[in-house]
Amino acid sequence: MTFKGNEKVQFMAIQTVFEGFQVNTQNKVRKNQLKYNLKIPMAHAAGNPNTHRVPEIMQKYRSGGTPWKVIIDPSGKVVYNNFHIDIDQAVSLIKALLREQD
């Protein structure tokens, strides 16, 4: 809730599927969004089960699994890209990015 109402901060979730194609479907993303009342944009990016190719977005951001966190600054530069992030660390990083904009 730290950034609620701050239009400079946007959150989104992307389900990247590189295994479990029958279970990890776009429909499942929507069901979870409704179940947990998630009010952020959510997307689905499936790889190819026949070639075992991971989704393009995983390749682009070099993510290694689920859940993966990426923080992108206003210029489009990735400033954080890792599996783990402490919530306080994330808040501090985003606040620092906002200060740089002022």
Side-chain angles (χ1 to χ4, degrees):
M1 297 305 222
T2 302
F3 302 106
K4 186 174 184 175
N6 187 331
E7 294 182 11
K8 293 181 179 181
V9 179
Q10 301 293 316
F11 293 94
M12 71 176 301
I14 303 171
Q15 173 179 268
T16 54
V17 183
F18 52 91
E19 61 187 7
F21 292 91
Q22 294 79 15
V23 177
N24 299 313
T25 64
Q26 186 169 1
N27 190 38
K28 178 89 180 256
V29 171
R30 182 65 176 146
K31 285 181 181 179
N32 283 333
Q33 185 178 27
L34 294 171
K35 178 179 178 179
Y36 296 105
N37 196 28
L38 301 172
K39 298 182 188 279
I40 61 172
M42 297 183 75
H44 175 80
N48 186 324
N50 299 319
T51 63
H52 302 286
R53 186 165 174 88
V54 299
E56 185 177 331
I57 195 159
M58 287 182 74
Q59 296 172 38
K60 181 176 181 178
Y61 289 100
R62 297 183 314 268
S63 65
T66 307
W68 198 268
K69 290 83 174 173
V70 178
I71 298 176
I72 304 169
D73 76 5
S75 73
K77 178 182 172 191
V78 174
V79 296
Y80 185 88
N81 185 343
N82 206 328
F83 184 77
H84 298 286
I85 191 165
D86 175 88
I87 190 68
D88 293 329
Q89 177 188 9
V91 169
S92 294
L93 177 57
I94 294 168
K95 283 182 177 180
L97 290 169
L98 290 170
R99 282 192 299 272
E100 289 175 11
Q101 284 188 315
D102 292 338

